[in-house]
Amino acid sequence: MSRALLTGNATAAWAARLAAVDYVPAFPITPQTEIIETLARWIHAGEMRARIVTMDSEHSMLTAAGAAAATGVRVFTATSSQGLLFGFEMLYAIAGLRLPLVLVNVSRGPAHPLTLEPDHSDVLSARDAGFLQFHAESCQEVLDSILIAYRLAEHERVLLPAIVNLDGFYLSYTREAVDLPAPEEAGAFLPAFAPAYPALCDPGSVAFGAAVLDSSLYTYFKHQMHLAAEAALQLYPEIAAEFASRFGRSHAAVEPFMLDDADYAIVMTNSFAAMGKAEVRRLRSEGKKVGLVRLRMLRPFPHAELRRLLAGRKGVAVVDQNISVGKGGVLFSEISSALYGLADRPPVLLSFIGGLGGRRFRPGEFDAMLERLENPPADTARACWLFTEEEAREIERLLAIAGGATT
């Protein structure tokens, strides 16, 4: 074990190296390019035994990733935002073919309007494709999540690909101290890939194609994918416990923070949860009984654990760093469905949209969220956007310059 000061991108590259991946199809896009640049440098210097190929697009990149995984090799790739959307068709193909590769998404809001900073509309758009999804708060968690993701994805009861998400700029280019296991330590947790399915490189005959199925067979195979995702939810605690015993770091699917006696809970994901924890700590010092719940795993969705953690609270605020235009926050809807039917579900469940395009929280916004939980509005289904009067005045000023009108 060694310790190094690494960016989130460099940490993702280290995770792929420690996972002893065989093949890395790549295509550059900000803010993930540092990952493939780092891997390319190691591979060409002979420090890492793998093959890296720069493709002509993200669609080709994911096609190559799936084809390589079908031969039984361990595959790693990475993208961001528009790149993920450009390769979107192949996400469903890779998952449907049950190919357990790992894809890192460095979250960045999809254009337009254009931003290079994070919102999770890119990665959450892929939540129904059949990939497992892990969302990292820190650089250390990027490394750990990638190793755990391979172990879970390659399990014979799962065989589904995985996405590990980290926030662009907030993690991708931020350096943190990261504990790096020695290669033999990583290998003991994640042995060489031995596919539990017929691979294209097997000496015997293997048929591999896209058969057109009738509705019954199509339903059967989709159900098998769903059962595999449910198996991943069952297996995750066991694998995470083994990881903790080997490396001393625990990664539950859902992380509670200062929640034991909390009347109110705030639900968040990814690196912005670190800001939320600081605010919860401050509110606690002022005598407020509030805690935080961080979703680390979003697919499969940990319904039961969320219900256990949120049952009996007076109120829950969900902070969505995404927007399903015309509906609201994606996580708010998912958590609402998880709590529906619970006898002692929180009587107040509020939706907040914040952090879009990397917008940082302003002073007083967590106080305002708590106040709104204590004195809820009549319409609790409508999302509240975190946006200050100062920001609104600046927008009005810019629109005045452009000759436009405010709404």
Side-chain angles (χ1 to χ4, degrees):
M1 184 87 74
S2 60
R3 173 166 285 197
L5 200 60
L6 298 174
T7 64
N9 282 343
T11 306
W14 263 108
R17 177 170 170 167
L18 290 168
V21 302
D22 300 294
Y23 181 60
V24 184
F27 192 79
I29 182 170
T30 301
Q32 76 79 26
T33 305
E34 182 189 6
I35 298 174
I36 58 173
E37 287 176 338
T38 304
L39 290 170
R41 187 171 66 251
W42 287 337
I43 292 168
H44 290 293
E47 298 174 20
M48 178 178 170
R49 294 185 60 185
R51 182 168 186 182
I52 185 168
V53 179
T54 303
M55 310 302 291
D56 62 3
S57 72
E58 289 87 353
H59 191 281
S60 299
M61 180 187 82
L62 288 171
T63 303
T71 69
V73 302
R74 184 171 282 161
V75 178
F76 173 86
T77 190
T79 190
S80 176
S81 187
Q82 307 301 125
L84 184 69
L85 301 183
F86 191 43
F88 207 81
E89 176 188 13
M90 292 311 301
L91 298 181
Y92 281 81
I94 291 167
L97 291 167
R98 308 289 299 276
L99 301 171
L101 55 85
V102 170
L103 162 66
V104 163
N105 181 68
V106 184
S107 186
R108 169 185 137 189
H112 281 281
L114 183 64
T115 179
L116 296 179
E117 299 209 33
D119 85 43
H120 306 138
S121 300
D122 59 349
V123 67
L124 290 179
S125 69
R127 69 189 185 280
D128 302 328
F131 277 61
L132 313 176
Q133 276 202 19
F134 301 92
H135 291 236
E137 179 185 347
S138 66
C139 293
Q140 183 69 63
E141 205 170 292
V142 171
L143 183 124
D144 296 352
S145 297
I146 291 171
L147 296 177
I148 291 172
Y150 272 114
R151 180 71 182 275
L152 187 62
E154 292 173 357
H155 195 284
E156 62 183 2
R157 289 178 58 198
V158 179
L159 293 178
L160 288 172
I163 291 176
V164 175
N165 188 74
L166 62 139
D167 283 339
F169 287 80
Y170 283 85
L171 276 192
S172 65
Y173 300 137
T174 297
R175 290 182 186 274
E176 295 179 345
V178 177
D179 288 331
L180 297 170
E184 56 273 18
E185 294 173 317
F189 173 74
L190 181 65
F193 184 33
Y197 52 85
L200 290 183
C201 61
D202 287 347
S205 297
V206 176
F208 185 81
V212 178
L213 305 180
D214 68 17
S215 56
S216 296
L217 281 168
Y218 180 83
T219 301
Y220 170 79
F221 282 110
K222 282 293 183 183
H223 188 224
Q224 292 300 307
M225 290 174 66
H226 187 66
L227 293 177
E230 290 185 337
L233 195 58
Q234 296 166 3
L235 291 164
Y236 181 82
E238 173 187 329
I239 292 173
E242 183 187 334
F243 187 92
S245 70
R246 289 181 180 275
F247 303 110
R249 295 185 293 276
S250 297
H251 297 300
V254 185
E255 179 197 8
F257 178 78
M258 303 187 88
L259 198 65
D260 285 347
D261 63 343
D263 289 332
Y264 300 98
I266 298 172
V267 180
M268 299 183 71
T269 63
N270 290 276
S271 66
F272 277 43
M275 304 179 208
K277 289 176 180 177
E279 287 294 299
V280 165
R281 198 175 287 114
R282 177 185 62 79
L283 290 166
R284 279 282 183 174
S285 71
E286 298 171 4
K288 307 290 187 182
K289 296 177 73 172
V290 59
L292 186 142
V293 171
R294 180 170 69 92
L295 280 165
R296 179 180 284 115
M297 175 190 279
L298 266 68
R299 283 294 182 275
F301 196 74
H303 288 87
E305 183 62 3
L306 272 172
R307 289 163 72 106
R308 186 183 73 79
L309 293 173
L310 297 179
R313 311 292 171 188
K314 292 181 179 177
V316 172
V318 181
V319 181
D320 269 288
Q321 199 174 351
N322 65 80
I323 178 65
S324 174
V325 176
K327 176 63 176 74
V330 170
L331 296 182
F332 177 73
S333 296
E334 302 222 334
I335 290 168
S336 298
S337 71
L339 297 179
Y340 185 79
L342 191 63
D344 54 350
R345 67 179 181 273
V348 180
L349 180 63
L350 299 181
S351 172
F352 295 88
I353 306 294
L356 299 186
R359 178 192 180 277
R360 295 184 67 90
F361 296 111
R362 296 331 196 237
E365 287 186 337
F366 277 77
D367 301 81
M369 278 191 260
L370 184 56
E371 183 178 341
R372 203 172 174 91
L373 282 170
E374 293 169 334
N375 303 283
D379 183 2
T380 58
R382 188 175 178 83
C384 175
W385 289 63
L386 299 179
F387 203 75
T388 64
E389 292 182 2
E390 181 182 0
E391 289 174 285
R393 285 195 296 271
E394 176 62 10
I395 297 295
E396 288 175 355
R397 186 184 71 82
L398 294 172
L399 286 172
I401 293 171
T406 58
T407 57

